[in-house]
């Protein structure tokens, strides 16, 4: 009988190998689960009871509480806030990554208190935050001095007078963030280690006040930048007024340039983009997503850019290519000035006919200026249905 008991115990232990894992490994496993499920593991055994309190990653979203659709808003708000405070008050270990994405805009005041509670921590390295409302970040947010990665959605930023910057921040993403040009410049200047920025959105960016903020002012704030992505709502401000052929300071660290919804119908936009490219001697990847011009487009004169420097460019990708003259001239220019180019991919807009596609291929085949990298793989595709 004893032997049978020992066998059963050994079999049980072999089946429950996860409980024998090191504590930090178990915490990382729990961090990959929805927080509701992670909390429920506390009933498994004594060893699991408080394991979740050391999770380094916390994710708070609408799924943290499970309620039927006909529950009153006040009850939903109470349950949601109560669950978040319950987790934070019982949590004991350091929080290195925090995600807060809440669609309930009625808990803005409670979120202020949550951020105030978290602002005492110097361990939070990654913070992803968004409420589906134009939520003004409290001043306590700017005390999170350990941040290395920050993503903000649907927020409004007003920088306090005593803000000393995020000295460790390396990656920043804004999506539909309301911030004036002056404050954005102040914010970026106070983050000297930034290596990657993503500014996207639809219409909420607020560059009012008449402050000039073009690519010239922007890149002055980003001496170590390696990768950037901008959507049109930002591009139209950064390219206002056009630019000369080079920026005052060379972007020696910039490797990736991704511009979403580019339109070459304005000389300002085209000249500004070429200026950034020409000021980035180590650029390796260019990705452009085009939009249809709403009026007559400008003309790109390749003779103006004979000194264009793209010595390290490896990949070019253009999406929604309309086959307009400035687009085609841009492709030819890149092909002629990129000796290290390995791949050029063009995805055609649906408006491009088969006849235009054939003509486009013929034009590229008989370029007046030879391709700098004859071995580069050139791909023309239509969008997948």
């Amino acid at each position: 009988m004893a032997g049978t008991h020992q066998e059963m115990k050994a079999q049980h232990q072999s089946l429950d190998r996860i409980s024998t894992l090191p504590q930090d490994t178990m915490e990382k496993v729990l961090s990959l689960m929805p927080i509701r499920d992670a909390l429920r593991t506390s009933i498994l055994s004594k060893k699991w009871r408080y394991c979740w309190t050391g999770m380094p990653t916390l994710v708070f979203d609408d799924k943290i509480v499970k309620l039927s659709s006909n529950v009153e808003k006040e009850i939903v708000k109470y349950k949601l806030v109560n669950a978040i405070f319950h987790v934070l008050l019982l949590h004991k270990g350091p929080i290195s990554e925090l995600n807060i994405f809440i669609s309930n805009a009625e808990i803005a005041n409670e979120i202020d208190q949550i951020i105030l509670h978290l602002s005492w921590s110097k361990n939070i390295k990654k913070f992803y935050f968004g409420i589906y409302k134009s939520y003004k970040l409290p001043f306590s947010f700017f005390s999170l001095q350990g941040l290395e990665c920050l993503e903000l959605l649907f927020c409004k930023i007003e920088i306090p007078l005593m803000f000393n910057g995020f000295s460790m921040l390396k990656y920043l993403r804004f999506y539909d963030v309301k911030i004036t040009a002056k404050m954005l410049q102040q914010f970026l200047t106070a983050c000297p280690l930034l290596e990657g920025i993503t500014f996207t959105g639809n219409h909420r960016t607020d560059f009012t006040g008449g402050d000039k903020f073009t690519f010239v002012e922007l890149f002055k704030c980003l001496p170590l930048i390696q990768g950037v992505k901008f959507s049109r709502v930002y591009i139209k401000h950064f390219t206002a007024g056009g630019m000369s052929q080079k920026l005052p300071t060379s972007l020696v660290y910039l490797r990736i340039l991704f511009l979403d919804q580019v339109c070459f119908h304005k000389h300002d936009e085209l000249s500004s983009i070429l200026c950034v490219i020409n000021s980035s001697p180590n650029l390796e990847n260019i990705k452009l997503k085009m939009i249809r011009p709403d009026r007559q487009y400008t003309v790109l004169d390749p003779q103006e850019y004979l000194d264009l420097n793209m010595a390290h460019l490896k990949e070019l990708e253009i999406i929604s290519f309309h086959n307009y003259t400035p687009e085609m001239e841009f492709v030819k220019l890149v092909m002629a000035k990129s000796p290290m180019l390995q791949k050029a991919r063009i995805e055609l807009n649906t408006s491009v006919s088969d006849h235009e596609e054939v003509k486009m291929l013929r034009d590229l085949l008989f370029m007046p200026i030879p391709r700098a990298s004859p071995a580069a793989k050139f791909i023309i595709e239509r969008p997948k249905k």
Side-chain angles (χ1 to χ4, degrees), residues 127-129 137 141-142 147 149-159 163 166 169 171-181 183-188 191 194 196-202 204-207 213 218 229-231 233-234 238:
F127 187 33
Y128 309 97
F129 178 81
L137 287 169
F141 160 78
F142 297 93
L147 289 179
C149 179
L150 174 63
E151 294 193 17
L152 298 176
L153 290 76
F154 310 110
C155 295
K156 182 179 181 180
I157 295 179
E158 290 184 11
I159 300 175
F163 177 56
F166 294 121
L169 193 66
Y171 176 76
L172 174 67
R173 182 195 174 207
F174 284 170
Y175 182 88
D176 270 354
V177 169
K178 282 188 175 181
I179 185 169
T180 64
M183 284 197 174
L184 178 59
Q185 189 170 6
Q186 182 183 347
F187 186 96
L188 296 177
C191 303
L194 274 173
I197 57 173
T198 298
F199 293 162
T200 56
N202 296 315
R204 299 193 181 203
T205 304
D206 181 13
F207 277 173
F213 197 48
L218 173 71
K229 178 181 178 180
F230 303 124
S231 66
V233 72
Y234 288 90
F238 293 148

Side-chain angles (χ1 to χ4, degrees), residues 307-320:
D307 296 329
L308 191 68
N309 181 12
M310 288 185 280
H312 295 277
L313 189 68
K314 296 179 181 178
E315 291 192 20
L316 169 69
E317 183 175 9
I318 302 180
I319 299 173
S320 194

Side-chain angles (χ1 to χ4, degrees), residues 13-207:
Q13 290 177 344
S14 65
L15 292 174
D16 189 22
R17 291 180 182 177
I18 193 170
S19 295
T20 63
L21 293 172
Q23 181 72 14
D24 61 335
T25 303
M26 293 170 65
E27 292 169 355
K28 289 178 181 177
V29 171
L30 290 175
S31 295
L32 299 174
M33 303 168 59
I35 200 164
R36 287 183 66 251
D37 295 336
L39 266 62
R40 291 171 67 183
T41 62
S42 60
I43 65 173
L44 296 177
S45 66
K46 289 183 179 180
K47 184 170 183 177
W48 284 92
R49 183 169 298 169
Y50 300 107
C51 188
W52 69 269
T53 62
M55 292 190 304
T57 301
L58 295 179
V59 179
F60 298 127
D61 55 23
D62 295 334
K63 297 177 183 177
I64 193 173
V65 292
K66 192 174 183 180
L67 299 169
S68 58
S69 58
N70 58 353
V71 176
E72 292 184 10
K73 287 185 178 180
E74 283 299 317
I75 296 177
V76 173
K77 173 182 173 180
Y78 169 78
K79 292 282 187 180
L80 191 60
V81 172
N82 187 60
I84 294 174
F85 275 112
H86 173 78
V87 172
L88 290 177
L89 291 174
L90 292 181
H91 195 276
K92 297 177 181 178
I95 303 170
S96 60
E97 181 177 331
L98 180 65
N99 299 257
I100 302 178
F101 295 108
I102 305 294
S103 63
N104 190 332
E106 302 300 322
I107 67 169
N109 292 332
E110 288 76 12
I111 292 294
D112 285 353
Q113 297 302 313
I114 290 169
I115 293 178
L116 177 62
H117 172 78
L118 295 167
S119 65
W120 297 97
S121 172
K122 305 302 179 185
N123 298 308
I124 300 177
K125 293 180 171 58
K126 298 180 180 180
F127 187 33
Y128 309 97
F129 178 81
I131 299 181
Y132 298 111
K133 175 190 176 182
S134 185
Y135 169 78
K136 181 183 175 183
L137 287 169
F139 286 167
S140 58
F141 160 78
F142 297 93
S143 298
L144 295 169
Q145 290 299 303
L147 289 179
E148 296 178 6
C149 179
L150 174 63
E151 294 193 17
L152 298 176
L153 290 76
F154 310 110
C155 295
K156 182 179 181 180
I157 295 179
E158 290 184 11
I159 300 175
L161 294 176
M162 301 302 292
F163 177 56
N164 294 319
F166 294 121
S167 60
M168 301 175 67
L169 193 66
K170 293 184 178 181
Y171 176 76
L172 174 67
R173 182 195 174 207
F174 284 170
Y175 182 88
D176 270 354
V177 169
K178 282 188 175 181
I179 185 169
T180 64
K182 185 176 181 179
M183 284 197 174
L184 178 59
Q185 189 170 6
Q186 182 183 347
F187 186 96
L188 296 177
T189 304
C191 303
L193 298 184
L194 274 173
E195 296 177 359
I197 57 173
T198 298
F199 293 162
T200 56
N202 296 315
H203 54 79
R204 299 193 181 203
T205 304
D206 181 13
F207 277 173

Side-chain angles (χ1 to χ4, degrees), residues 257-307:
L257 177 65
F258 183 3
L259 302 178
D260 190 7
Q261 295 185 314
V262 179
C263 186
F264 286 162
H265 74 285
K266 283 187 176 180
H267 181 268
D268 288 357
E269 196 160 321
L270 181 56
S271 65
S272 297
I273 292 169
L274 285 169
C275 172
V276 172
I277 293 173
N278 200 28
S279 305
S280 309
N282 298 307
L283 195 62
E284 296 179 359
N285 190 304
I286 298 175
K287 183 175 181 179
L288 306 175
K289 186 174 182 181
M290 313 302 293
I291 60 172
R292 185 184 183 93
D294 55 4
R295 54 185 176 273
Q296 185 177 4
Y297 44 79
T298 187
V299 177
L300 170 63
D301 183 3
Q303 297 300 316
E304 295 181 10
Y305 297 94
L306 292 177
D307 296 329

